[in-house]
Amino acid sequence: MKKIIYALILSLVVVSGLVFANCEIKNETPKKSISKTLSAAERKAGLKKWEATPDGIKLKKWKVSPQGKKVLAGAAKISKYTSTFTNMEAVVTSLSLPPGSLLGFGVMARINGEDYILRFEPQKSQLQQLQSLKVNDKIILKSHSVSYAPKYSYPIISGDYVERDSKVIYKRTPRKGGC
């Protein structure tokens, strides 16, 4: 009887050791492969290759069109503010984005006589304050980036900070785990 008990205990120890060892192997984090950075020549070659695709050709045509030139000029007008993250005075012109827009929550605003799409990525707690905006509200805006797309007739500003009547109504929270 003692031999049977010893054999069972020994087999239990061996099996639990194997299970425990297998768990440790699964919990190890896999080493990420380090991607090498591309040289300037490789980046240029990749860009030329993309420009030859239908999307690249479409973007080139849009940039030289009157609409594209207008959007690029509007983006250039505020680039000094976005690069230095300084205040821009804006007036809300519309509480809705252009039809067919897939940018999420946003409003239309006028800055220095130009119209812009002002896009936000609000959390639920911040959404109510942003929805309290009204047409003709004067706001102070800060942003790190302005972008454009052939689909839209206006430059797109990603709102990072908005203040109305000296009260902060929106401040973008940084994403967790990276950029």
Side-chain angles (χ1 to χ4, degrees), residues 120-159:
F120 301 100
E121 293 180 17
Q123 295 177 345
K124 288 188 180 201
S125 61
Q126 298 169 320
L127 194 58
Q128 186 178 14
Q129 293 174 325
L130 286 171
Q131 288 176 336
S132 71
L133 287 172
K134 296 177 185 134
V135 174
N136 294 328
D137 275 353
K138 292 184 180 183
I139 58 175
I140 302 295
L141 165 71
K142 287 184 182 180
S143 176
H144 281 295
S145 66
V146 61
S147 59
Y148 49 86
K151 179 179 179 179
Y152 302 106
S153 301
Y154 308 98
I156 303 162
I157 300 173
S158 295

PDB file of all heavy atoms in Angstrom, residues 120-159:
ATOM      1  N   PHE A 120     -12.619  65.955 -32.590  1.00  0.00           N
ATOM      2  CA  PHE A 120     -12.263  65.591 -31.219  1.00  0.00           C
ATOM      3  C   PHE A 120     -12.340  64.090 -31.031  1.00  0.00           C
ATOM      4  O   PHE A 120     -13.085  63.407 -31.733  1.00  0.00           O
ATOM      5  CB  PHE A 120     -13.229  66.230 -30.208  1.00  0.00           C
ATOM      6  CG  PHE A 120     -13.261  67.725 -30.266  1.00  0.00           C
ATOM      7  CD1 PHE A 120     -14.283  68.383 -30.925  1.00  0.00           C
ATOM      8  CD2 PHE A 120     -12.274  68.473 -29.660  1.00  0.00           C
ATOM      9  CE1 PHE A 120     -14.333  69.761 -30.976  1.00  0.00           C
ATOM     10  CE2 PHE A 120     -12.316  69.853 -29.702  1.00  0.00           C
ATOM     11  CZ  PHE A 120     -13.338  70.498 -30.365  1.00  0.00           C
ATOM     12  N   GLU A 121     -11.608  63.604 -30.042  1.00  0.00           N
ATOM     13  CA  GLU A 121     -11.720  62.218 -29.592  1.00  0.00           C
ATOM     14  C   GLU A 121     -12.068  62.255 -28.112  1.00  0.00           C
ATOM     15  O   GLU A 121     -11.251  61.933 -27.259  1.00  0.00           O
ATOM     16  CB  GLU A 121     -10.405  61.472 -29.815  1.00  0.00           C
ATOM     17  CG  GLU A 121     -10.058  61.269 -31.266  1.00  0.00           C
ATOM     18  CD  GLU A 121      -8.745  60.530 -31.461  1.00  0.00           C
ATOM     19  OE1 GLU A 121      -8.254  59.897 -30.513  1.00  0.00           O
ATOM     20  OE2 GLU A 121      -8.209  60.605 -32.557  1.00  0.00           O
ATOM     21  N   PRO A 122     -13.304  62.677 -27.780  1.00  0.00           N
ATOM     22  CA  PRO A 122     -13.642  62.864 -26.374  1.00  0.00           C
ATOM     23  C   PRO A 122     -13.971  61.565 -25.664  1.00  0.00           C
ATOM     24  O   PRO A 122     -14.409  60.594 -26.273  1.00  0.00           O
ATOM     25  CB  PRO A 122     -14.887  63.744 -26.436  1.00  0.00           C
ATOM     26  CG  PRO A 122     -15.544  63.344 -27.710  1.00  0.00           C
ATOM     27  CD  PRO A 122     -14.404  63.028 -28.650  1.00  0.00           C
ATOM     28  N   GLN A 123     -13.718  61.590 -24.357  1.00  0.00           N
ATOM     29  CA  GLN A 123     -14.211  60.522 -23.510  1.00  0.00           C
ATOM     30  C   GLN A 123     -15.654  60.871 -23.173  1.00  0.00           C
ATOM     31  O   GLN A 123     -16.100  61.995 -23.365  1.00  0.00           O
ATOM     32  CB  GLN A 123     -13.376  60.422 -22.243  1.00  0.00           C
ATOM     33  CG  GLN A 123     -11.949  60.026 -22.508  1.00  0.00           C
ATOM     34  CD  GLN A 123     -11.129  59.995 -21.231  1.00  0.00           C
ATOM     35  OE1 GLN A 123     -11.515  60.521 -20.202  1.00  0.00           O
ATOM     36  NE2 GLN A 123      -9.970  59.374 -21.313  1.00  0.00           N
ATOM     37  N   LYS A 124     -16.410  59.917 -22.663  1.00  0.00           N
ATOM     38  CA  LYS A 124     -17.828  60.165 -22.393  1.00  0.00           C
ATOM     39  C   LYS A 124     -18.012  61.329 -21.426  1.00  0.00           C
ATOM     40  O   LYS A 124     -18.952  62.104 -21.557  1.00  0.00           O
ATOM     41  CB  LYS A 124     -18.487  58.908 -21.845  1.00  0.00           C
ATOM     42  CG  LYS A 124     -18.665  57.847 -22.908  1.00  0.00           C
ATOM     43  CD  LYS A 124     -19.483  56.707 -22.424  1.00  0.00           C
ATOM     44  CE  LYS A 124     -19.591  55.700 -23.555  1.00  0.00           C
ATOM     45  NZ  LYS A 124     -20.690  54.819 -23.423  1.00  0.00           N
ATOM     46  N   SER A 125     -17.113  61.483 -20.462  1.00  0.00           N
ATOM     47  CA  SER A 125     -17.249  62.568 -19.490  1.00  0.00           C
ATOM     48  C   SER A 125     -17.033  63.940 -20.139  1.00  0.00           C
ATOM     49  O   SER A 125     -17.554  64.940 -19.658  1.00  0.00           O
ATOM     50  CB  SER A 125     -16.264  62.372 -18.339  1.00  0.00           C
ATOM     51  OG  SER A 125     -14.939  62.389 -18.827  1.00  0.00           O
ATOM     52  N   GLN A 126     -16.292  63.995 -21.222  1.00  0.00           N
ATOM     53  CA  GLN A 126     -16.003  65.260 -21.890  1.00  0.00           C
ATOM     54  C   GLN A 126     -17.023  65.592 -22.972  1.00  0.00           C
ATOM     55  O   GLN A 126     -17.120  66.734 -23.401  1.00  0.00           O
ATOM     56  CB  GLN A 126     -14.616  65.205 -22.540  1.00  0.00           C
ATOM     57  CG  GLN A 126     -13.495  65.000 -21.558  1.00  0.00           C
ATOM     58  CD  GLN A 126     -12.193  64.693 -22.269  1.00  0.00           C
ATOM     59  OE1 GLN A 126     -12.166  63.963 -23.250  1.00  0.00           O
ATOM     60  NE2 GLN A 126     -11.113  65.259 -21.767  1.00  0.00           N
ATOM     61  N   LEU A 127     -17.786  64.625 -23.393  1.00  0.00           N
ATOM     62  CA  LEU A 127     -18.709  64.812 -24.503  1.00  0.00           C
ATOM     63  C   LEU A 127     -19.794  65.835 -24.193  1.00  0.00           C
ATOM     64  O   LEU A 127     -20.136  66.660 -25.036  1.00  0.00           O
ATOM     65  CB  LEU A 127     -19.329  63.469 -24.880  1.00  0.00           C
ATOM     66  CG  LEU A 127     -20.056  63.386 -26.202  1.00  0.00           C
ATOM     67  CD1 LEU A 127     -19.126  63.770 -27.337  1.00  0.00           C
ATOM     68  CD2 LEU A 127     -20.580  61.989 -26.429  1.00  0.00           C
ATOM     69  N   GLN A 128     -20.316  65.826 -22.968  1.00  0.00           N
ATOM     70  CA  GLN A 128     -21.387  66.750 -22.615  1.00  0.00           C
ATOM     71  C   GLN A 128     -20.916  68.202 -22.715  1.00  0.00           C
ATOM     72  O   GLN A 128     -21.634  69.069 -23.208  1.00  0.00           O
ATOM     73  CB  GLN A 128     -21.900  66.453 -21.210  1.00  0.00           C
ATOM     74  CG  GLN A 128     -23.107  67.286 -20.833  1.00  0.00           C
ATOM     75  CD  GLN A 128     -23.624  66.933 -19.464  1.00  0.00           C
ATOM     76  OE1 GLN A 128     -22.952  66.261 -18.694  1.00  0.00           O
ATOM     77  NE2 GLN A 128     -24.829  67.383 -19.151  1.00  0.00           N
ATOM     78  N   GLN A 129     -19.688  68.484 -22.268  1.00  0.00           N
ATOM     79  CA  GLN A 129     -19.172  69.845 -22.335  1.00  0.00           C
ATOM     80  C   GLN A 129     -19.001  70.293 -23.780  1.00  0.00           C
ATOM     81  O   GLN A 129     -19.283  71.436 -24.124  1.00  0.00           O
ATOM     82  CB  GLN A 129     -17.848  69.950 -21.586  1.00  0.00           C
ATOM     83  CG  GLN A 129     -17.999  69.766 -20.095  1.00  0.00           C
ATOM     84  CD  GLN A 129     -16.656  69.737 -19.407  1.00  0.00           C
ATOM     85  OE1 GLN A 129     -15.674  69.236 -19.941  1.00  0.00           O
ATOM     86  NE2 GLN A 129     -16.605  70.300 -18.203  1.00  0.00           N
ATOM     87  N   LEU A 130     -18.531  69.403 -24.639  1.00  0.00           N
ATOM     88  CA  LEU A 130     -18.362  69.748 -26.049  1.00  0.00           C
ATOM     89  C   LEU A 130     -19.710  69.939 -26.735  1.00  0.00           C
ATOM     90  O   LEU A 130     -19.849  70.777 -27.628  1.00  0.00           O
ATOM     91  CB  LEU A 130     -17.543  68.684 -26.771  1.00  0.00           C
ATOM     92  CG  LEU A 130     -16.053  68.687 -26.461  1.00  0.00           C
ATOM     93  CD1 LEU A 130     -15.380  67.466 -27.064  1.00  0.00           C
ATOM     94  CD2 LEU A 130     -15.406  69.952 -26.980  1.00  0.00           C
ATOM     95  N   GLN A 131     -20.695  69.172 -26.339  1.00  0.00           N
ATOM     96  CA  GLN A 131     -22.017  69.305 -26.947  1.00  0.00           C
ATOM     97  C   GLN A 131     -22.716  70.583 -26.499  1.00  0.00           C
ATOM     98  O   GLN A 131     -23.710  70.974 -27.090  1.00  0.00           O
ATOM     99  CB  GLN A 131     -22.874  68.078 -26.631  1.00  0.00           C
ATOM    100  CG  GLN A 131     -22.428  66.856 -27.398  1.00  0.00           C
ATOM    101  CD  GLN A 131     -23.207  65.613 -27.036  1.00  0.00           C
ATOM    102  OE1 GLN A 131     -23.762  65.499 -25.958  1.00  0.00           O
ATOM    103  NE2 GLN A 131     -23.231  64.653 -27.947  1.00  0.00           N
ATOM    104  N   SER A 132     -22.181  71.242 -25.485  1.00  0.00           N
ATOM    105  CA  SER A 132     -22.773  72.509 -25.040  1.00  0.00           C
ATOM    106  C   SER A 132     -22.358  73.674 -25.937  1.00  0.00           C
ATOM    107  O   SER A 132     -22.864  74.782 -25.786  1.00  0.00           O
ATOM    108  CB  SER A 132     -22.373  72.800 -23.591  1.00  0.00           C
ATOM    109  OG  SER A 132     -20.999  73.143 -23.518  1.00  0.00           O
ATOM    110  N   LEU A 133     -21.439  73.433 -26.881  1.00  0.00           N
ATOM    111  CA  LEU A 133     -21.046  74.492 -27.813  1.00  0.00           C
ATOM    112  C   LEU A 133     -22.232  74.902 -28.675  1.00  0.00           C
ATOM    113  O   LEU A 133     -23.068  74.065 -29.035  1.00  0.00           O
ATOM    114  CB  LEU A 133     -19.904  74.008 -28.724  1.00  0.00           C
ATOM    115  CG  LEU A 133     -18.531  73.876 -28.092  1.00  0.00           C
ATOM    116  CD1 LEU A 133     -17.563  73.207 -29.066  1.00  0.00           C
ATOM    117  CD2 LEU A 133     -17.994  75.229 -27.673  1.00  0.00           C
ATOM    118  N   LYS A 134     -22.280  76.183 -29.015  1.00  0.00           N
ATOM    119  CA  LYS A 134     -23.344  76.705 -29.869  1.00  0.00           C
ATOM    120  C   LYS A 134     -22.719  77.454 -31.034  1.00  0.00           C
ATOM    121  O   LYS A 134     -21.567  77.869 -30.975  1.00  0.00           O
ATOM    122  CB  LYS A 134     -24.237  77.657 -29.067  1.00  0.00           C
ATOM    123  CG  LYS A 134     -24.973  76.968 -27.944  1.00  0.00           C
ATOM    124  CD  LYS A 134     -25.785  77.951 -27.145  1.00  0.00           C
ATOM    125  CE  LYS A 134     -26.402  77.220 -25.975  1.00  0.00           C
ATOM    126  NZ  LYS A 134     -26.275  77.925 -24.745  1.00  0.00           N
ATOM    127  N   VAL A 135     -23.494  77.638 -32.093  1.00  0.00           N
ATOM    128  CA  VAL A 135     -23.032  78.403 -33.240  1.00  0.00           C
ATOM    129  C   VAL A 135     -22.716  79.824 -32.766  1.00  0.00           C
ATOM    130  O   VAL A 135     -23.423  80.382 -31.940  1.00  0.00           O
ATOM    131  CB  VAL A 135     -24.091  78.406 -34.360  1.00  0.00           C
ATOM    132  CG1 VAL A 135     -23.682  79.313 -35.498  1.00  0.00           C
ATOM    133  CG2 VAL A 135     -24.321  76.988 -34.867  1.00  0.00           C
ATOM    134  N   ASN A 136     -21.628  80.376 -33.275  1.00  0.00           N
ATOM    135  CA  ASN A 136     -21.110  81.706 -32.949  1.00  0.00           C
ATOM    136  C   ASN A 136     -20.414  81.784 -31.593  1.00  0.00           C
ATOM    137  O   ASN A 136     -20.059  82.872 -31.157  1.00  0.00           O
ATOM    138  CB  ASN A 136     -22.188  82.798 -33.050  1.00  0.00           C
ATOM    139  CG  ASN A 136     -22.652  82.990 -34.472  1.00  0.00           C
ATOM    140  OD1 ASN A 136     -21.880  82.823 -35.415  1.00  0.00           O
ATOM    141  ND2 ASN A 136     -23.925  83.315 -34.641  1.00  0.00           N
ATOM    142  N   ASP A 137     -20.204  80.657 -30.901  1.00  0.00           N
ATOM    143  CA  ASP A 137     -19.404  80.667 -29.679  1.00  0.00           C
ATOM    144  C   ASP A 137     -17.957  80.961 -30.047  1.00  0.00           C
ATOM    145  O   ASP A 137     -17.421  80.400 -31.008  1.00  0.00           O
ATOM    146  CB  ASP A 137     -19.462  79.305 -28.972  1.00  0.00           C
ATOM    147  CG  ASP A 137     -20.658  79.167 -28.061  1.00  0.00           C
ATOM    148  OD1 ASP A 137     -21.382  80.165 -27.869  1.00  0.00           O
ATOM    149  OD2 ASP A 137     -20.861  78.048 -27.538  1.00  0.00           O
ATOM    150  N   LYS A 138     -17.322  81.817 -29.277  1.00  0.00           N
ATOM    151  CA  LYS A 138     -15.898  82.085 -29.471  1.00  0.00           C
ATOM    152  C   LYS A 138     -15.114  81.172 -28.535  1.00  0.00           C
ATOM    153  O   LYS A 138     -15.399  81.117 -27.342  1.00  0.00           O
ATOM    154  CB  LYS A 138     -15.589  83.547 -29.194  1.00  0.00           C
ATOM    155  CG  LYS A 138     -16.210  84.459 -30.224  1.00  0.00           C
ATOM    156  CD  LYS A 138     -15.831  85.891 -30.013  1.00  0.00           C
ATOM    157  CE  LYS A 138     -16.511  86.718 -31.101  1.00  0.00           C
ATOM    158  NZ  LYS A 138     -16.169  88.104 -31.053  1.00  0.00           N
ATOM    159  N   ILE A 139     -14.165  80.476 -29.109  1.00  0.00           N
ATOM    160  CA  ILE A 139     -13.378  79.521 -28.337  1.00  0.00           C
ATOM    161  C   ILE A 139     -11.898  79.780 -28.561  1.00  0.00           C
ATOM    162  O   ILE A 139     -11.501  80.367 -29.569  1.00  0.00           O
ATOM    163  CB  ILE A 139     -13.725  78.050 -28.700  1.00  0.00           C
ATOM    164  CG1 ILE A 139     -13.509  77.786 -30.197  1.00  0.00           C
ATOM    165  CG2 ILE A 139     -15.140  77.714 -28.281  1.00  0.00           C
ATOM    166  CD1 ILE A 139     -13.720  76.349 -30.615  1.00  0.00           C
ATOM    167  N   ILE A 140     -11.102  79.338 -27.611  1.00  0.00           N
ATOM    168  CA  ILE A 140      -9.646  79.321 -27.734  1.00  0.00           C
ATOM    169  C   ILE A 140      -9.271  77.863 -27.956  1.00  0.00           C
ATOM    170  O   ILE A 140      -9.685  76.979 -27.207  1.00  0.00           O
ATOM    171  CB  ILE A 140      -8.954  79.868 -26.467  1.00  0.00           C
ATOM    172  CG1 ILE A 140      -9.398  81.291 -26.166  1.00  0.00           C
ATOM    173  CG2 ILE A 140      -7.443  79.774 -26.605  1.00  0.00           C
ATOM    174  CD1 ILE A 140      -8.995  82.311 -27.195  1.00  0.00           C
ATOM    175  N   LEU A 141      -8.486  77.614 -28.955  1.00  0.00           N
ATOM    176  CA  LEU A 141      -8.176  76.264 -29.388  1.00  0.00           C
ATOM    177  C   LEU A 141      -6.673  76.063 -29.453  1.00  0.00           C
ATOM    178  O   LEU A 141      -5.939  76.971 -29.851  1.00  0.00           O
ATOM    179  CB  LEU A 141      -8.797  76.064 -30.774  1.00  0.00           C
ATOM    180  CG  LEU A 141      -8.382  74.915 -31.643  1.00  0.00           C
ATOM    181  CD1 LEU A 141      -8.926  73.628 -31.055  1.00  0.00           C
ATOM    182  CD2 LEU A 141      -8.924  75.107 -33.035  1.00  0.00           C
ATOM    183  N   LYS A 142      -6.219  74.872 -29.050  1.00  0.00           N
ATOM    184  CA  LYS A 142      -4.827  74.478 -29.232  1.00  0.00           C
ATOM    185  C   LYS A 142      -4.824  73.106 -29.904  1.00  0.00           C
ATOM    186  O   LYS A 142      -5.672  72.266 -29.614  1.00  0.00           O
ATOM    187  CB  LYS A 142      -4.092  74.367 -27.895  1.00  0.00           C
ATOM    188  CG  LYS A 142      -3.791  75.683 -27.236  1.00  0.00           C
ATOM    189  CD  LYS A 142      -2.977  75.440 -25.978  1.00  0.00           C
ATOM    190  CE  LYS A 142      -2.685  76.720 -25.245  1.00  0.00           C
ATOM    191  NZ  LYS A 142      -1.903  76.468 -24.026  1.00  0.00           N
ATOM    192  N   SER A 143      -3.863  72.916 -30.785  1.00  0.00           N
ATOM    193  CA  SER A 143      -3.773  71.642 -31.490  1.00  0.00           C
ATOM    194  C   SER A 143      -2.328  71.365 -31.860  1.00  0.00           C
ATOM    195  O   SER A 143      -1.535  72.283 -32.054  1.00  0.00           O
ATOM    196  CB  SER A 143      -4.616  71.681 -32.766  1.00  0.00           C
ATOM    197  OG  SER A 143      -4.448  70.488 -33.489  1.00  0.00           O
ATOM    198  N   HIS A 144      -2.007  70.100 -31.953  1.00  0.00           N
ATOM    199  CA  HIS A 144      -0.679  69.689 -32.403  1.00  0.00           C
ATOM    200  C   HIS A 144      -0.655  69.347 -33.883  1.00  0.00           C
ATOM    201  O   HIS A 144       0.411  69.232 -34.472  1.00  0.00           O
ATOM    202  CB  HIS A 144      -0.205  68.458 -31.621  1.00  0.00           C
ATOM    203  CG  HIS A 144       0.310  68.749 -30.262  1.00  0.00           C
ATOM    204  ND1 HIS A 144       1.427  69.493 -30.029  1.00  0.00           N
ATOM    205  CD2 HIS A 144      -0.157  68.403 -29.045  1.00  0.00           C
ATOM    206  CE1 HIS A 144       1.641  69.588 -28.736  1.00  0.00           C
ATOM    207  NE2 HIS A 144       0.681  68.932 -28.113  1.00  0.00           N
ATOM    208  N   SER A 145      -1.850  69.138 -34.468  1.00  0.00           N
ATOM    209  CA  SER A 145      -1.816  68.674 -35.852  1.00  0.00           C
ATOM    210  C   SER A 145      -2.973  69.200 -36.682  1.00  0.00           C
ATOM    211  O   SER A 145      -4.064  69.435 -36.187  1.00  0.00           O
ATOM    212  CB  SER A 145      -1.833  67.141 -35.897  1.00  0.00           C
ATOM    213  OG  SER A 145      -3.056  66.662 -35.413  1.00  0.00           O
ATOM    214  N   VAL A 146      -2.675  69.397 -37.949  1.00  0.00           N
ATOM    215  CA  VAL A 146      -3.680  69.732 -38.947  1.00  0.00           C
ATOM    216  C   VAL A 146      -3.441  68.780 -40.117  1.00  0.00           C
ATOM    217  O   VAL A 146      -2.300  68.493 -40.480  1.00  0.00           O
ATOM    218  CB  VAL A 146      -3.614  71.218 -39.377  1.00  0.00           C
ATOM    219  CG1 VAL A 146      -2.288  71.559 -40.000  1.00  0.00           C
ATOM    220  CG2 VAL A 146      -4.733  71.571 -40.330  1.00  0.00           C
ATOM    221  N   SER A 147      -4.515  68.237 -40.656  1.00  0.00           N
ATOM    222  CA  SER A 147      -4.376  67.291 -41.757  1.00  0.00           C
ATOM    223  C   SER A 147      -5.391  67.632 -42.840  1.00  0.00           C
ATOM    224  O   SER A 147      -6.172  68.568 -42.701  1.00  0.00           O
ATOM    225  CB  SER A 147      -4.582  65.856 -41.248  1.00  0.00           C
ATOM    226  OG  SER A 147      -5.862  65.721 -40.669  1.00  0.00           O
ATOM    227  N   TYR A 148      -5.368  66.849 -43.893  1.00  0.00           N
ATOM    228  CA  TYR A 148      -6.285  67.068 -45.001  1.00  0.00           C
ATOM    229  C   TYR A 148      -6.507  65.744 -45.707  1.00  0.00           C
ATOM    230  O   TYR A 148      -5.719  64.801 -45.561  1.00  0.00           O
ATOM    231  CB  TYR A 148      -5.742  68.118 -45.981  1.00  0.00           C
ATOM    232  CG  TYR A 148      -4.317  67.879 -46.406  1.00  0.00           C
ATOM    233  CD1 TYR A 148      -4.013  67.040 -47.464  1.00  0.00           C
ATOM    234  CD2 TYR A 148      -3.263  68.485 -45.729  1.00  0.00           C
ATOM    235  CE1 TYR A 148      -2.714  66.805 -47.839  1.00  0.00           C
ATOM    236  CE2 TYR A 148      -1.949  68.258 -46.103  1.00  0.00           C
ATOM    237  CZ  TYR A 148      -1.685  67.409 -47.167  1.00  0.00           C
ATOM    238  OH  TYR A 148      -0.381  67.179 -47.530  1.00  0.00           O
ATOM    239  N   ALA A 149      -7.603  65.701 -46.432  1.00  0.00           N
ATOM    240  CA  ALA A 149      -7.931  64.511 -47.215  1.00  0.00           C
ATOM    241  C   ALA A 149      -8.735  64.955 -48.428  1.00  0.00           C
ATOM    242  O   ALA A 149      -9.529  65.891 -48.337  1.00  0.00           O
ATOM    243  CB  ALA A 149      -8.737  63.527 -46.375  1.00  0.00           C
ATOM    244  N   PRO A 150      -8.534  64.311 -49.562  1.00  0.00           N
ATOM    245  CA  PRO A 150      -9.273  64.691 -50.767  1.00  0.00           C
ATOM    246  C   PRO A 150     -10.793  64.621 -50.602  1.00  0.00           C
ATOM    247  O   PRO A 150     -11.516  65.304 -51.299  1.00  0.00           O
ATOM    248  CB  PRO A 150      -8.799  63.683 -51.813  1.00  0.00           C
ATOM    249  CG  PRO A 150      -7.468  63.237 -51.344  1.00  0.00           C
ATOM    250  CD  PRO A 150      -7.538  63.269 -49.840  1.00  0.00           C
ATOM    251  N   LYS A 151     -11.262  63.840 -49.662  1.00  0.00           N
ATOM    252  CA  LYS A 151     -12.692  63.680 -49.444  1.00  0.00           C
ATOM    253  C   LYS A 151     -13.327  64.946 -48.868  1.00  0.00           C
ATOM    254  O   LYS A 151     -14.505  65.197 -49.066  1.00  0.00           O
ATOM    255  CB  LYS A 151     -12.922  62.511 -48.483  1.00  0.00           C
ATOM    256  CG  LYS A 151     -14.362  62.251 -48.147  1.00  0.00           C
ATOM    257  CD  LYS A 151     -14.501  61.067 -47.221  1.00  0.00           C
ATOM    258  CE  LYS A 151     -15.952  60.853 -46.874  1.00  0.00           C
ATOM    259  NZ  LYS A 151     -16.148  59.711 -46.014  1.00  0.00           N
ATOM    260  N   TYR A 152     -12.541  65.764 -48.150  1.00  0.00           N
ATOM    261  CA  TYR A 152     -13.075  66.924 -47.445  1.00  0.00           C
ATOM    262  C   TYR A 152     -12.610  68.227 -48.087  1.00  0.00           C
ATOM    263  O   TYR A 152     -11.491  68.340 -48.541  1.00  0.00           O
ATOM    264  CB  TYR A 152     -12.658  66.884 -45.977  1.00  0.00           C
ATOM    265  CG  TYR A 152     -13.123  65.626 -45.285  1.00  0.00           C
ATOM    266  CD1 TYR A 152     -12.232  64.602 -44.976  1.00  0.00           C
ATOM    267  CD2 TYR A 152     -14.463  65.439 -44.967  1.00  0.00           C
ATOM    268  CE1 TYR A 152     -12.654  63.444 -44.361  1.00  0.00           C
ATOM    269  CE2 TYR A 152     -14.893  64.281 -44.356  1.00  0.00           C
ATOM    270  CZ  TYR A 152     -13.992  63.288 -44.056  1.00  0.00           C
ATOM    271  OH  TYR A 152     -14.422  62.141 -43.459  1.00  0.00           O
ATOM    272  N   SER A 153     -13.487  69.220 -48.054  1.00  0.00           N
ATOM    273  CA  SER A 153     -13.199  70.525 -48.650  1.00  0.00           C
ATOM    274  C   SER A 153     -12.544  71.475 -47.655  1.00  0.00           C
ATOM    275  O   SER A 153     -12.371  72.653 -47.951  1.00  0.00           O
ATOM    276  CB  SER A 153     -14.484  71.165 -49.158  1.00  0.00           C
ATOM    277  OG  SER A 153     -15.090  70.329 -50.106  1.00  0.00           O
ATOM    278  N   TYR A 154     -12.213  70.983 -46.468  1.00  0.00           N
ATOM    279  CA  TYR A 154     -11.640  71.814 -45.423  1.00  0.00           C
ATOM    280  C   TYR A 154     -10.476  71.088 -44.764  1.00  0.00           C
ATOM    281  O   TYR A 154     -10.483  69.857 -44.661  1.00  0.00           O
ATOM    282  CB  TYR A 154     -12.685  72.114 -44.338  1.00  0.00           C
ATOM    283  CG  TYR A 154     -13.976  72.661 -44.878  1.00  0.00           C
ATOM    284  CD1 TYR A 154     -15.071  71.831 -45.084  1.00  0.00           C
ATOM    285  CD2 TYR A 154     -14.105  74.006 -45.192  1.00  0.00           C
ATOM    286  CE1 TYR A 154     -16.254  72.321 -45.582  1.00  0.00           C
ATOM    287  CE2 TYR A 154     -15.290  74.513 -45.695  1.00  0.00           C
ATOM    288  CZ  TYR A 154     -16.357  73.668 -45.888  1.00  0.00           C
ATOM    289  OH  TYR A 154     -17.528  74.166 -46.391  1.00  0.00           O
ATOM    290  N   PRO A 155      -9.483  71.832 -44.252  1.00  0.00           N
ATOM    291  CA  PRO A 155      -8.439  71.192 -43.451  1.00  0.00           C
ATOM    292  C   PRO A 155      -9.054  70.650 -42.157  1.00  0.00           C
ATOM    293  O   PRO A 155     -10.057  71.178 -41.666  1.00  0.00           O
ATOM    294  CB  PRO A 155      -7.462  72.328 -43.145  1.00  0.00           C
ATOM    295  CG  PRO A 155      -7.755  73.383 -44.153  1.00  0.00           C
ATOM    296  CD  PRO A 155      -9.200  73.244 -44.482  1.00  0.00           C
ATOM    297  N   ILE A 156      -8.444  69.626 -41.601  1.00  0.00           N
ATOM    298  CA  ILE A 156      -8.967  68.956 -40.412  1.00  0.00           C
ATOM    299  C   ILE A 156      -8.011  69.219 -39.256  1.00  0.00           C
ATOM    300  O   ILE A 156      -6.838  68.840 -39.309  1.00  0.00           O
ATOM    301  CB  ILE A 156      -9.097  67.441 -40.656  1.00  0.00           C
ATOM    302  CG1 ILE A 156      -9.980  67.182 -41.869  1.00  0.00           C
ATOM    303  CG2 ILE A 156      -9.639  66.745 -39.416  1.00  0.00           C
ATOM    304  CD1 ILE A 156      -9.833  65.796 -42.456  1.00  0.00           C
ATOM    305  N   ILE A 157      -8.518  69.865 -38.207  1.00  0.00           N
ATOM    306  CA  ILE A 157      -7.714  70.141 -37.016  1.00  0.00           C
ATOM    307  C   ILE A 157      -8.113  69.136 -35.947  1.00  0.00           C
ATOM    308  O   ILE A 157      -9.299  68.982 -35.641  1.00  0.00           O
ATOM    309  CB  ILE A 157      -7.969  71.567 -36.488  1.00  0.00           C
ATOM    310  CG1 ILE A 157      -7.611  72.598 -37.544  1.00  0.00           C
ATOM    311  CG2 ILE A 157      -7.183  71.808 -35.209  1.00  0.00           C
ATOM    312  CD1 ILE A 157      -7.991  74.013 -37.163  1.00  0.00           C
ATOM    313  N   SER A 158      -7.140  68.457 -35.366  1.00  0.00           N
ATOM    314  CA  SER A 158      -7.412  67.559 -34.240  1.00  0.00           C
ATOM    315  C   SER A 158      -7.323  68.385 -32.965  1.00  0.00           C
ATOM    316  O   SER A 158      -6.241  68.833 -32.591  1.00  0.00           O
ATOM    317  CB  SER A 158      -6.397  66.416 -34.200  1.00  0.00           C
ATOM    318  OG  SER A 158      -6.542  65.620 -35.342  1.00  0.00           O
ATOM    319  N   GLY A 159      -8.449  68.596 -32.322  1.00  0.00           N
ATOM    320  CA  GLY A 159      -8.487  69.433 -31.126  1.00  0.00           C
ATOM    321  C   GLY A 159      -7.828  68.750 -29.944  1.00  0.00           C
ATOM    322  O   GLY A 159      -8.145  67.615 -29.607  1.00  0.00           O
TER     323      GLY A 159
END
